[in-house]
Amino acid sequence: VTAYIGIPSNTTEVEKRAIRDAAEQGGAREVILLYQPLCAAVGMGLDIQEPRGFMVVDIGGGTTDIAIISRCDIVLDRTIKIAGDEMTNDIIEWMKRNHNFLIGEATAERIKIEVGAALPNLNSAPPEIVVYGRDMFSGLPRQMEISYKEVAYAIDNTLSRIEDEVHQALAEAPPELAADIYTNGIALSGGGANIRGLAERLSHRVKIPVYVAEDPLHCVAKGIYYIITHKDQFSHLFM
């Protein structure tokens, strides 16, 4: 059995060795590592072999990968440990601080998925949802309604930190690739890309078109599948 595994672009050699060891202990006879931003770009249909610049922001659970890609290579990358899990924790803390309402991680994740938003004013707003938790004063179970506006305020700082990293990556991009990115736009992938209004918010910050990939949650998996079924074109990406 060969295991193909996507990893963040700044993964250290020690971390790569740990990933390989874990996969081999799980039954893999061969382990091939691939950088997630490249896989995401392929999975969303970008022709990364072209001599043009593309920018991908892959917002996963534990990390956000920001990469500028050209000629099948990562020209510039920034990986930060700020992503979907951080937003989930933001929601838990917001509910504690503003409502004295204790919820679990699963409930916070549901809130993020069903009414998660990057902007407090959306043209197409999702309806409020009812969630259940525990009152921190009485210790008794209770319920409350939560709207997308509250989530937007709850995760604002985390999104701002991601925006700062994207802005910094653009500032460091080679000028000719920066021009390509301005034309091509920035592609968002990963589960975090599903946050409503995120593309609009990021575009407003960096003054460049931003779009969400089709089926962003599975871009990396689709990219890995395409790469391993076209090994003649992409074998040099295997680690």
Side-chain angles (χ1 to χ4, degrees), residues 6-220:
I7 60 173
S9 51
N10 73 336
T11 304
T12 66
E13 290 302 319
V14 172
E15 291 168 335
K16 289 176 186 176
R17 193 176 306 116
I19 292 168
R20 288 194 179 94
D21 290 345
E24 288 169 356
Q25 290 173 13
R29 296 185 61 184
E30 182 181 13
V31 181
I32 295 176
L33 305 179
L34 295 152
Y35 286 131
Q36 284 179 178
L38 292 172
C39 297
V42 172
M44 64 180 70
L46 300 180
D47 187 354
I48 64 172
Q49 299 179 86
E50 289 188 14
R52 294 195 296 153
F54 300 98
M55 187 169 191
V56 173
V57 179
D58 184 65
I59 307 172
T63 61
T64 295
D65 280 318
I66 302 163
I68 295 175
I69 298 166
S70 182
R71 296 179 184 269
C72 260
D73 191 21
I74 297 176
V75 178
L76 185 149
D77 72 288
R78 303 177 74 87
T79 299
I80 54 174
K81 293 183 178 179
I82 303 168
D85 293 345
E86 191 83 5
M87 297 179 210
T88 300
N89 291 332
D90 287 343
I91 294 169
I92 292 173
E93 291 304 315
W94 175 272
M95 300 298 277
K96 286 181 184 177
R97 187 170 60 251
N98 292 278
H99 299 290
N100 298 306
F101 189 61
L102 187 63
I103 59 172
E105 185 176 330
T107 300
E109 187 74 14
R110 179 191 159 215
I111 292 170
K112 182 177 69 177
I113 292 170
E114 295 190 19
V115 291
L119 297 169
N121 294 294
L122 296 175
N123 293 328
S124 180
E128 294 185 349
I129 62 171
V130 176
V131 296
Y132 298 88
R134 189 171 75 239
D135 188 286
M136 293 177 65
F137 286 153
S138 69
L140 298 175
R142 72 178 174 98
Q143 68 178 40
M144 70 170 290
E145 291 186 343
I146 184 167
S147 71
Y148 78 92
K149 291 179 182 289
E150 286 211 72
V151 181
Y153 292 125
I155 66 176
D156 178 66
N157 286 338
T158 292
L159 293 181
S160 292
R161 291 158 73 188
I162 294 174
E163 288 174 348
D164 290 343
E165 293 295 332
V166 172
H167 187 276
Q168 187 61 36
L170 287 168
E172 296 174 4
E176 63 277 9
L177 297 186
D180 289 337
I181 294 166
Y182 187 86
T183 302
N184 298 329
I186 298 172
L188 302 181
S189 64
N194 284 317
I195 297 293
R196 297 164 185 81
L198 179 56
E200 181 183 347
R201 172 176 170 153
L202 185 56
S203 179
H204 179 75
R205 168 70 187 276
V206 299
K207 313 303 182 186
I208 291 176
V210 179
Y211 65 94
V212 178
E214 184 179 347
D215 191 16
L217 186 61
H218 300 108
C219 280
V220 172

